[in-house]
Amino acid sequence: ASPPTMAWQTYNMQTKASGAIVKDGQSIDVPSSDQYVLTLVVEDLNSGVKDVTLNGNVQYVCQQGGQVEDKKFPLETQETKPTPDQENNVPIRASLVYAVEFGKMGCKENWIFGGGKLSLVGKAHNFVGGAEMRTLHVNLKK
């Protein structure tokens, strides 16, 4: 069984620039002042999309004066299981979205976001047992 096709779509809310990443393990740079929307898009025209999951982890630092606080935590897993329609046609597309906006959150008041790294892992299955996985690394710039 051939696996579903997967791609990441990137969209910068400030500059309105968008892009697509199809290779596994790619990295993109995101300034902490910008809000990015990352969409994992899965498609399988032949066998349909059975399920898609998106998870990962983030690590970053917060700084104040000479103090540095390390933060590291897993992301909440997102999952979608599209269901066949009334005519029992299997869904051929599915997507999950993750919004990146770390500059505005994550650090205590009066602390400065010092940059970090976000890793997203998307997994998908089709209805004939095909599986695919894609990883995206986001460098969070301070």
Side-chain angles (χ1 to χ4, degrees):
S2 65
T5 59
M6 299 177 83
W8 297 99
Q9 292 177 348
T10 62
Y11 182 73
N12 183 320
M13 300 288 281
Q14 276 67 29
T15 66
K16 310 291 187 227
S18 60
I21 300 168
V22 290
K23 279 190 191 159
D24 187 34
Q26 294 281 99
S27 292
I28 61 168
D29 293 341
V30 174
S32 66
S33 57
D34 291 3
Q35 183 183 8
Y36 263 70
V37 176
L38 304 172
T39 306
L40 175 66
V41 180
V42 179
E43 186 176 81
D44 195 317
L45 301 175
N46 300 317
S47 307
V49 178
K50 183 177 179 185
D51 60 62
V52 182
T53 58
L54 178 62
N55 60 23
N57 59 68
V58 65
Q59 57 191 72
Y60 58 95
V61 296
C62 296
Q63 300 167 323
Q64 183 192 44
Q67 294 178 289
V68 174
E69 197 174 64
D70 285 311
K71 306 270 192 176
K72 184 175 185 176
F73 55 91
L75 303 177
E76 197 173 311
T77 299
Q78 294 185 52
E79 186 172 26
T80 181
K81 291 190 177 198
T83 52
D85 64 17
Q86 291 94 349
E87 290 152 23
N88 213 26
N89 294 320
V90 294
I92 56 169
R93 281 184 195 86
S95 62
L96 289 171
V97 175
Y98 185 82
V100 181
E101 50 180 343
F102 281 92
K104 297 180 184 68
M105 56 180 232
C107 294
K108 290 184 252 181
E109 196 176 342
N110 301 325
W111 285 63
I112 298 165
F113 179 80
K117 189 166 196 161
L118 167 72
S119 294
L120 294 174
V121 179
K123 296 177 185 165
H125 296 90
N126 60 22
F127 282 94
V128 293
E132 188 62 277
M133 186 174 110
R134 284 281 185 283
T135 304
L136 178 66
H137 302 288
V138 180
N139 298 315
L140 305 166
K141 299 295 187 191
K142 59 178 175 179

